[in-house]
C-alpha cells in the first residue's frame, strides 16, 4: 500500500530529514517527541506532533509500547525509525506488524539475522562475502576464546555479538590480555545491549573502514557505491567521504557486488549498509557487519549519486519496487560529510548543551547542512550531542576538501561549543589531504597536540 501518513519515531536532524523527504512525496507527517523536545524543529515542521513521554529516552523514544500506541492513535500507515533508538529493534518491528503498521525498514527476521554479528557473519560467508578470520559463532567461555585466538593468531579483537557503536570492543595482543579483557567486554556488552555474548576476530592492523550503501525491495537490490569512514574517535565516525580514494576500480566493483549479493541473499527491504575493513597493504577487504537502517552519513552518498535515499526507502516500504537499475546509478565527483557536535574539542570533547544564540548556515553550489537548529533553541542535555552534518560536493577530492574548509569558515553556531575547530584542522592536515590515514590515525593525532586553539580554526564560539 502507498504510505499516506508517516510517523517519525526519532528526533533531531534525522527527524527533520525524514519530514522533508516525506513532504516532498506528498505524505502527511506525524512527529513523535519527548517532553524535552516539544520545541524542536521537527515538531514545528511536521503536519502534527504527539508527545510520547518524558525526557528519558527509556520512557519515550525507546518505549516500544508507547511509540506503537502513539502511532495507532494518530492513524499512521507507517513508522520511520531513523537511526538509533528503535531503528534496529526486531521486537519493535513485530509490535508494529501486530498493530498493522508498516515499518520503514527490513523485516524483524532480517534485523535479527543481520543485527547479530555472528549470524551476519554466517550469512555473509554463505553469500560468498569475505570475512575476517574469527570464531565460527559465539564464544561461551574464556578458555574457548583462548583456543580460538590460538588458531586465528594475535592480535585479536573481542567484540560484542549484539549492538554496535564500538561498545564492548577490546584488542588483545597476548593470551594474558585476552583473559583480562574478555570479561570486561562481556560486562560492557551486557550493560549496553542486554546481551553479553562475544565473538573474536583477528585484528587487522591499520585498516581502512569502507562501507557500501544498498537498497532492496525484498526481491532485487542495488548499491550506491562506497563510503570511506576511517577518521574515527573512540570508534565513532567524525568525517565520512564518498567514494573511497584508496580503492581501484576492480576492487570497488568487487566490493560493491558482494554487498548486493548479501542483500539479495537475505531478501533485504529498505536502506542498509554493509561495513568492511580494507587492508590497503594486501588490497583485501573483509565484511564486518551490516547496519539495517539509514546511516548518519547517508547524505554523502546522496551527493555522490543524486538519489534521495530516504524517499527510496519510504517507497519500497510501501510495497514499491526499486525505481533504479544498477546501470542507472552513476558516481559523480566526490563528497565529504563532517559531524558537528555540541562538544568542546579542547576539553576532551566534553558535551556542551546550551542555547543557540546565533546561526549562520553556508549556502552555495555543492553545500548542504542537515540540522535541527534555530536561533533561541535550547539544546536538551539528555540525548546525543550531534547538532548537524555539513556535507559538500566537488569535482574531485581536493576540490571537495577546499569547499569543506570554506563552508566550515562560513558556518556559525553561536551559544555553544562545537567540533567545528576539529574539522577545520583536519581539512588543512597534510595526511588527510593526501588520503594517508586509517581507523587508528585520529586518536594519536589528537594526543600529539595537533589540534590547537589557533585563531585560524576557532574564529569565534562555534
Amino acid at each position: 500500500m502507498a504510505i499516506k501518513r508517516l510517523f517519525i519515531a526519532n528526533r533531531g536532524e534525522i527527524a527533520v530529514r525524514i519530514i522533508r523527504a516525506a513532504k516532498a512525496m506528498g505524505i502527511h507527517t506525524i512527529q513523535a517527541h519527548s517532553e524535552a523536545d516539544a520545541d524542536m524543529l521537527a515538531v514545528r515542521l511536521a503536519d502534527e506532533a504527539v508527545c510520547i513521554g518524558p525526557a528519558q529516552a527509556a520512557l519515550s523514544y525507546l518505549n516500544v509500547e508507547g511509540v506503537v500506541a502513539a502511532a495507532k492513535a494518530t492513524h499512521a500507515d507507517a513508522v520511520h525509525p531513523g537511526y538509533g533508538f528503535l531503528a534496529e529493534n526486531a521486537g519493535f518491528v513485530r509490535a508494529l506488524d501486530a498493530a498493522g503498521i508498516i515499518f520503514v525498514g527490513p523485516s524483524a527476521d532480517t534485523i535479527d539475522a543481520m543485527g547479530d554479528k555472528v549470524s551476519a557473519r554466517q550469512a555473509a560467508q554463505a553469500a560468498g562475502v569475505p570475512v575476517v578470520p574469527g570464531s565460527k559463532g559465539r564464544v561461551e567461555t574464556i578458555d574457548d576464546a583462548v583456543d580460538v585466538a590460538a588458531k586465528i593468531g594475535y592480535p585479536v579483537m573481542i567484540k560484542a555479538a549484539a549492538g554496535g557503536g564500538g561498545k564492548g570492543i577490546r584488542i588483545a595482543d597476548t593470551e594474558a590480555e585476552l583473559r583480562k579483557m574478555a570479561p570486561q567486554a562481556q560486562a560492557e556488552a551486557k550493560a549496553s545491549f542486554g546481551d553479553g555474548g562475544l565473538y573474536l576476530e583477528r585484528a587487522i592492523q591499520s585498516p581502512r573502514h569502507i562501507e557500501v550503501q544498498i537498497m532492496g525491495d525484498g526481491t532485487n537490490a542495488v548499491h550506491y557505491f562506497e563510503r570511506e569512514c576511517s577518521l574515527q574517535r573512540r570508534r565513532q565516525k567524525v568525517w565520512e567521504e564518498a567514494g573511497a580514494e584508496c580503492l581501484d576500480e576492480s576492487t570497488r566493483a568487487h566490493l560493491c557486488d558482494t554487498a548486493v549479493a548479501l542483500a539479495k541473499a537475505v531478501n533485504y527491504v529498505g536502506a542498509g549498509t554493509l561495513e568492511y575493513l580494507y587492508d590497503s597493504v594486501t588490497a583485501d577487504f573483509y565484511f564486518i557487519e551490516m547496519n539495517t537502517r539509514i546511516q548518519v552519513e547517508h547524505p554523502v552518498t546522496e551527493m555522490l549519486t543524486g538519489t534521495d535515499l530516504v524517499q527510496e526507502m519510504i517507497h519500497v516500504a510501501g510495497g514499491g519496487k526499486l525505481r533504479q537499475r544498477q546501470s542507472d546509478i552513476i558516481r559523480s565527483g566526490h563528497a565529504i560529510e563532517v559531524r558537528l557536535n555540541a562538544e568542546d574539542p579542547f576539553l576532551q570533547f566534553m558535551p556542551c548543551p546550551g542555547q543557540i544564540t546565533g546561526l549562520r548556515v553556508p549556502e552555495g553550489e555543492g553545500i548542504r547542512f542537515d540540522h535541527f537548529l534555530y536561533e533561541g533553541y535550547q539544546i536538551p542535555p539528555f540525548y546525543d550531542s550531534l547538532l548537524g552534518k555539513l556535507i559538500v560536493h566537488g569535482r574531485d577530492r581536493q576540490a571537495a576538501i577546499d569547499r569543506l574548509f570554506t563552508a566550515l569558515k562560513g558556518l556559525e553556531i553561536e551559544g555553544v561549543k562545537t567540533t567545528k575547530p576539529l574539522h577545520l584542522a583536519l581539512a588543512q592536515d597534510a595526511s588527510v589531504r593526501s588520503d594517508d590515514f586509517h581507523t587508528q590515525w585520529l586518536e594519536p593525532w589528537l594526543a600529539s597536540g595537533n589540534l590547537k586553539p589557533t585563531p585560524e580554526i576557532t574564529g569565534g564560539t562555534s
Side-chain angles (χ1 to χ4, degrees):
M1 60 172 278
I3 295 170
K4 297 180 180 179
R5 294 176 61 84
L6 181 66
F7 188 96
I8 296 97
N10 213 301
R11 65 176 305 279
E13 67 86 16
I14 190 60
V16 172
R17 171 75 185 89
I18 295 165
I19 289 168
R20 287 180 168 151
K23 284 194 168 188
M25 300 172 75
I27 296 172
H28 183 91
T29 54
I30 308 157
Q31 177 62 50
H33 67 87
S34 70
E35 292 172 358
D37 276 336
D39 291 330
M40 71 175 174
L41 184 59
V43 170
R44 297 184 174 197
L45 293 177
D47 296 300
E48 60 181 287
V50 58
C51 184
I52 55 171
Q56 300 96 313
L59 301 177
S60 51
Y61 297 109
L62 288 169
N63 182 351
V64 170
E65 184 177 328
V67 172
V68 173
K72 288 177 66 177
T74 53
H75 308 290
D77 301 319
V79 171
H80 198 307
Y83 54 73
F85 292 132
L86 298 173
E88 295 176 284
N89 186 310
F92 177 53
V93 179
R94 292 189 173 97
L96 288 173
D97 288 344
I101 299 172
I102 296 168
F103 176 74
V104 181
S107 69
D109 289 344
T110 299
I111 291 174
D112 276 337
M114 303 310 294
D116 181 279
K117 293 183 178 65
V118 174
S119 59
R121 176 188 175 91
Q122 293 167 345
Q125 289 175 305
V129 182
V131 298
V132 180
S135 55
K136 292 182 179 179
R138 292 184 176 225
V139 177
E140 300 299 336
T141 69
I142 304 303
D143 287 338
D144 289 341
V146 169
D147 289 342
V148 170
K151 293 174 183 175
I152 66 176
Y154 288 94
V156 295
M157 185 173 288
I158 312 159
K159 303 180 79 172
K167 298 283 197 310
I169 294 179
R170 301 288 190 282
I171 295 178
D173 292 314
T174 64
E175 179 181 334
E177 289 185 358
L178 176 58
R179 289 187 178 278
K180 177 182 178 181
M181 292 178 178
Q184 298 171 353
Q186 284 179 319
E188 185 174 345
K190 180 68 175 177
S192 298
F193 313 117
D195 181 347
L198 300 178
Y199 79 109
L200 262 62
E201 286 179 349
R202 182 191 299 160
I204 308 299
Q205 298 299 296
S206 304
R208 307 291 283 254
H209 184 122
I210 311 294
E211 58 188 35
V212 179
Q213 176 70 60
I214 61 94
M215 187 78 65
D217 62 16
T219 302
N220 197 14
V222 294
H223 70 75
Y224 294 86
F225 297 97
E226 82 289 347
R227 297 186 286 257
E228 160 89 58
C229 305
S230 298
L231 287 173
Q232 302 177 11
R233 176 180 172 270
R234 295 184 176 176
R235 299 191 176 89
Q236 300 292 311
K237 303 164 189 173
V238 301
W239 166 306
E240 297 105 349
E241 307 189 27
E245 293 278 298
C246 59
L247 302 180
D248 59 36
E249 286 302 324
S250 62
T251 304
R252 174 177 290 111
H254 186 200
L255 178 75
C256 293
D257 286 347
T258 67
V260 171
L262 182 52
K264 289 180 177 178
V266 298
N267 302 313
Y268 197 84
V269 176
T273 298
L274 287 88
E275 301 198 350
Y276 299 81
L277 293 180
Y278 175 68
D279 188 331
S280 55
V281 176
T282 65
D284 294 321
F285 60 84
Y286 305 98
F287 169 82
I288 50 174
E289 64 180 316
M290 183 175 191
N291 290 307
T292 56
R293 51 173 167 79
I294 197 72
Q295 295 265 106
V296 176
E297 59 270 26
H298 75 273
V300 285
T301 296
E302 295 183 328
M303 296 283 262
L304 186 77
T305 64
T307 299
D308 189 314
L309 296 170
V310 177
Q311 286 192 18
E312 285 302 303
M313 67 188 302
I314 294 171
H315 170 72
V316 297
K321 295 301 181 183
L322 291 176
R323 295 185 284 194
Q324 292 174 297
R325 296 169 297 179
Q326 192 62 63
S327 59
D328 297 328
I329 304 169
I330 308 297
R331 306 166 64 231
S332 175
H334 194 88
I336 302 174
E337 171 186 301
V338 295
R339 304 188 189 192
L340 279 299
N341 291 351
E343 299 171 356
D344 188 342
F346 303 113
L347 284 177
Q348 290 76 50
F349 295 86
M350 181 177 69
C352 296
Q355 187 177 60
I356 303 300
T357 58
L359 179 66
R360 185 160 70 91
V361 176
E363 298 178 347
E365 181 183 357
I367 298 173
R368 167 177 165 181
F369 186 46
D370 284 16
H371 67 97
F372 66 112
L373 307 176
Y374 57 85
E375 289 190 20
Y377 175 62
Q378 181 72 37
I379 301 166
F382 310 105
Y383 311 111
D384 184 272
S385 61
L386 180 66
L387 298 177
K389 301 160 337 192
L390 181 62
I391 311 104
V392 298
H393 181 269
R395 66 182 180 276
D396 55 31
R397 186 170 185 269
Q398 293 306 312
I401 294 176
D402 290 341
R403 180 162 287 164
L404 174 67
F405 183 78
T406 301
L408 280 165
K409 295 289 283 186
L411 174 65
E412 294 183 4
I413 305 172
E414 298 177 356
V416 297
K417 299 289 187 180
T418 79
T419 50
K420 171 181 164 178
L422 168 66
H423 299 303
L424 282 169
L426 289 174
Q428 299 174 86
D429 185 85
S431 293
V432 172
R433 294 191 72 93
S434 63
D435 197 41
D436 183 18
F437 52 82
H438 49 76
T439 58
Q440 282 96 49
W441 181 88
L442 181 55
E443 291 188 51
W445 181 89
L446 287 167
S448 297
N450 287 287
L451 181 61
K452 300 181 178 68
T454 62
E456 177 69 7
I457 67 169
T458 52
T461 58
S462 59

